[in-house]
């Protein structure tokens, strides 16, 4: 009998080889952009969670801040002019996870993004950052750092304190060289750049318009707007509530036409502090198959947007990769209810639009044709309401369509009887109908 | 011994078992009223169709004045309005799925999704929405046809049907659970789980109160309950409400079976005079199967009398 102490100390291998498996390369790159945005938030003391939803009155003043991301199979680099990282945060930059009292950014919540990106991407890593007046720089060879793994001291990383030259704007430069083989393979894939570009365009769609510009391999990424639509006849539904420190805003409507509805743009978009975390979701995560039917192409016209905002990003329902939602999050569970309640009338509208047995074209189709893109900020400014459709009363039509099955044999007999062997079935149908009206229904 | 199909045909139009169910529900709400639930101030929302039987009873007996009947079928638009029984019954031609999200949360509700069709995915969507929406102390009821969903099918085929309609609410059922005799419980499980799912992230839960099965022709099932807290459940379980024969708090218990024995008027009058009878009592004067007597003992207070009316 007795007590022994089991060793629960972490191994570097775990961080190097295990927790890099749960994130895609694209998302690692986005983590780096998140850090740039957080620098901007710190420097300007702005609250993007709040400010990006404000309706723009004029063009933003002054030049936008820039993030420059360059990808090649030799090197990945990212530089920004977003203000840099103050020396007081050196430990926060390199430690795994944050201190309980750390002042968190708006998008960086977990304290793993940069580290995970380093381990995922390369063997050699350099960082140079400067605020106004002071800076620091480091260069790490990961295999060499990983070799020693016995005591806490082995985890430390030497950092050079610097006095930056005044001609360089305050900001951060990060460079990865000696890329890992699997990373080189992905970058060589002709589709990779497009994927990264699309990810940036969607993820930061609200930032890219207003507060920051991202250039990928020399070209500025254009935002991919949230396709929320409206028109004179339909008004998006909107709900707001607050749970703890988290403000929740939910909007749902028909999608903007371009000119049709696209499968890949339909579904729920979920944003945390302005960053798109889940795009065009059609799974049970957002309620499809529970309160809503399973997603089907007839719902391509559905778009919903959920925005979670908080000063404390740990309370937001995102996962550590920021590419998914934590289903257990209480605030997300509450939001999910409201999402389903708000979505339901739109689903019914689309059901009516694509009824299987149609006699005449439903009014829904005419209404849907006119839906155009609505700036999400304008919807945000509206009062909460359910999704509304103004249906004009349909004028009683003087005609209707008739369609029915008839035996080919009988049609041939009729054709013979009326001596019109060249007529099609349609014409025969019309003729027999007219004949009946004429002979049996005198005016 | 079960009453046979031919006997039922006589009564099909008037549906005595359904009426027994309605009367039991009315009695339940009377007891709940007595316990302090202001039922007369509730909103009753149902699928009144053109008959409105539930609306008439709930208005006349329970005094409910705020009533909404939702009907989806455009074909009977005028009939629905024509048959509106009272001014206070609002009749709306709409899809119930759209009405549920707009029910007022400032009011308490009784919502009866009285479908006459078999359980479908849509019904489960409606239940989920209701459970997500209805405020504490509101009641939900749902009725579905529980005949085997595929005619001359097998348990395997029936399982496939329920997988298609509500896989996520099946729990851990195995093939043997889809035996015909157990289909009513399969339906009950799915309906209950759909409600549980909708309410799961709220600060109330679903408290099952009723489960009726009966056949006025087709086998039907009604389940229902209240949205409330553990405390609400505790007080219902410990009070007079729990003494009602047909109340079923337990999720796993079989539904209360409403069996309406076919009796002549004379037989009924005789039996009534000796009710409530002791268990296993049977009349000496004429022969009746014991299970009919037992069934009658449970329903005689709710059993409607029918007579021809010469107008």
């Amino acid at each position: 009998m007795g007590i022994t102490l089991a060793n629960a100390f972490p191994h570097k291998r775990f961080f190097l080889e295990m927790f890099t498996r749960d994130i895609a390369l694209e998302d690692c790159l986005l983590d780096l952009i998140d850090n740039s945005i957080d620098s901007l938030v710190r420097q300007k003391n702005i609250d993007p969670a709040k400010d990006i939803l404000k309706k723009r009155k004029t063009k933003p003043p002054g030049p936008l801040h820039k993030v420059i991301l360059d990808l090649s199979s030799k090197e990945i680099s990212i530089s920004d002019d977003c203000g840099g990282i103050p020396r007081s945060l050196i430990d926060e930059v390199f430690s795994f996870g944050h201190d309980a009292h750390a002042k968190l950014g708006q998008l960086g919540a977990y304290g793993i993004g940069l580290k995970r990106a380093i381990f995922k991407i390369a063997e050699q890593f350099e960082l140079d950052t400067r605020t106004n007046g002071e800076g620091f720089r480091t260069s790490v060879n990961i295999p060499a750092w990983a070799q020693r793994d016995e005591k806490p001291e082995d985890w430390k990383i030497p950092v050079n304190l610097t006095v930056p030259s005044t001609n360089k704007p305050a900001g951060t430069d990060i460079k990865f060289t000696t890329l890992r083989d699997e990373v080189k393979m992905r970058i060589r894939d002709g589709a990779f750049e497009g994927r990264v570009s699309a990810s940036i365009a969607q993820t930061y769609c609200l930032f890219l318009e207003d507060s920051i510009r991202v250039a990928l391999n020399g070209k500025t990424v254009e935002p991919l707007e949230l396709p929320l639509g409206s028109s004179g006849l339909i008004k998006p539904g909107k709900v707001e509530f607050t749970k703890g420190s988290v403000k929740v805003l939910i909007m749902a409507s028909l999608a903007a036409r371009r000119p049709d509805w696209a499968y890949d743009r339909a579904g729920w978009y979920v944003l945390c502090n302005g960053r798109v975390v889940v795009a065009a979701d059609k799974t049970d995560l957002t309620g499809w198959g529970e309160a809503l039917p399973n997603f089907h192409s007839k719902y391509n016209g559905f778009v919903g947007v959920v925005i979670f905002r908080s000063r404390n990003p740990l309370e937001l329902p995102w996962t550590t990769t920021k590419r998914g939602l934590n289903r257990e999050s209480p605030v997300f569970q509450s939001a999910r209810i409201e999402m389903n309640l708000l979505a339901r009338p739109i689903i019914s509208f689309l059901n009516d639009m694509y009824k299987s047995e149609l006699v005449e074209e439903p009014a829904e189709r005419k209404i849907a044709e006119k839906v155009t893109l609505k700036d999400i900020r304008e919807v945000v400014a509206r009062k909460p309401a359910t999704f509304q459709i103004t249906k004009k009363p349909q004028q009683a039509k003087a005609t209707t369509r008739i369609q029915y099955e008839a035996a080919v044999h009988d049609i041939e007999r009729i054709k013979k009887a009326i001596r019109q062997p060249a007529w099609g079935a349609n014409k025969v149908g019309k003729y027999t109908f007219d004949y009946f009206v004429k002979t049996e229904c005198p005016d | 011994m079960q009453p046979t199909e031919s006997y039922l045909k006589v009564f099909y139009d008037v549906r005595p078992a359904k009426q027994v169910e309605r009367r039991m529900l009315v009695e339940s709400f009377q007891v709940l009223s007595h316990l302090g639930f202001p039922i007369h101030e509730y909103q009753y929302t149902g699928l009144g169709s053109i008959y409105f039987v539930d609306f008439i009873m709930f208005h006349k007996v329970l005094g409910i004045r705020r009533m909404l009947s939702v009907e989806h079928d455009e074909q009977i638009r005028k009939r629905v309005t024509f048959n509106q029984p009272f001014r206070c019954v609002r009749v709306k031609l709409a899809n119930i799925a759209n009405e549920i999200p707009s029910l007022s949360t400032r009011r308490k509700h009784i919502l009866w999704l009285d479908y006459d069709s078999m359980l479908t995915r849509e019904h489960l969507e409606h239940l989920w929405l209701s459970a997500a929406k209805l405020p504490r102390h509101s009641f939900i009821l749902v009725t579905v046809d529980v005949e085997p969903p595929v005619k001359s099918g097998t348990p395997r085929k029936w399982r496939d049907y329920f997988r298609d309609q509500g896989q996520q609410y099946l729990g851990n059922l195995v093939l043997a659970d889809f035996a015909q005799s157990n289909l009513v419980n399969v339906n009950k499980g799915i309906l209950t789980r759909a409600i549980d799912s909708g309410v799961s992230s709220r600060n109330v839960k679903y408290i099952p109160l009723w489960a009726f099965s009966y056949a006025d022709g087709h086998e039907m099932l009604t389940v229902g309950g209240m949205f409330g807290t553990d405390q609400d459940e505790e007080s219902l379980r410990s009070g007079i409400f729990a003494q009602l024969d047909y109340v079923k708090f337990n999720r796993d218990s079989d539904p209360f079976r409403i069996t309406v024995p076919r009796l002549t008027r004379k037989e009924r009058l005789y039996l009534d005079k000796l009710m409530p009878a002791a268990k296993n009592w049977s009349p000496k004067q004429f022969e009746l199967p014991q299970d009919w007597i037992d069934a009658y003992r449970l329903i005689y207070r709710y059993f409607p009398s029918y007579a021809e009316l010469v107008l």
Side-chain angles (χ1 to χ4, degrees), chain A residues 92-103:
Chain A
E92 295 299 331
V93 172
F94 293 104
S95 66
F96 291 85
H98 288 306
D99 189 80
H101 308 292
K103 188 172 179 293

Side-chain angles (χ1 to χ4, degrees), chain A residues 9-22 96 119 149 155:
Chain A
F9 207 73
H11 293 287
K12 287 180 179 174
R13 272 192 65 208
F14 169 76
F15 293 98
L16 284 161
E17 293 169 22
M18 308 305 157
F19 96 142
T20 50
R21 291 176 182 226
D22 301 335
F96 291 85
F119 298 155
D149 187 12
W155 288 67

Side-chain angles (χ1 to χ4, degrees), chain A residues 243 289-294 330 333-334 336-337 340-342 344-346 348-349 351-352 386, chain B residues 72 95 97-98 100-102 121-122 124-126 128-129 132-133 168-169 197-198 200-202:
Chain A
K243 188 159 184 157
E290 278 175 17
L292 306 179
N294 282 330
Q333 294 197 36
S334 302
R336 210 164 163 267
I337 291 179
N340 283 314
L341 293 169
L342 202 61
R344 190 64 238 191
I346 302 165
S348 300
F349 177 90
N351 280 338
D352 290 344
T386 52
Chain B
H72 195 37
N95 181 348
N98 294 354
I100 294 166
S102 16
R121 184 177 281 281
E122 278 193 0
L124 301 176
E125 292 164 19
H126 302 166
W128 197 103
L129 289 169
K133 181 78 186 184
Q168 70 269 46
Y169 305 125
S197 171
S200 64
S201 44
R202 298 177 53 197

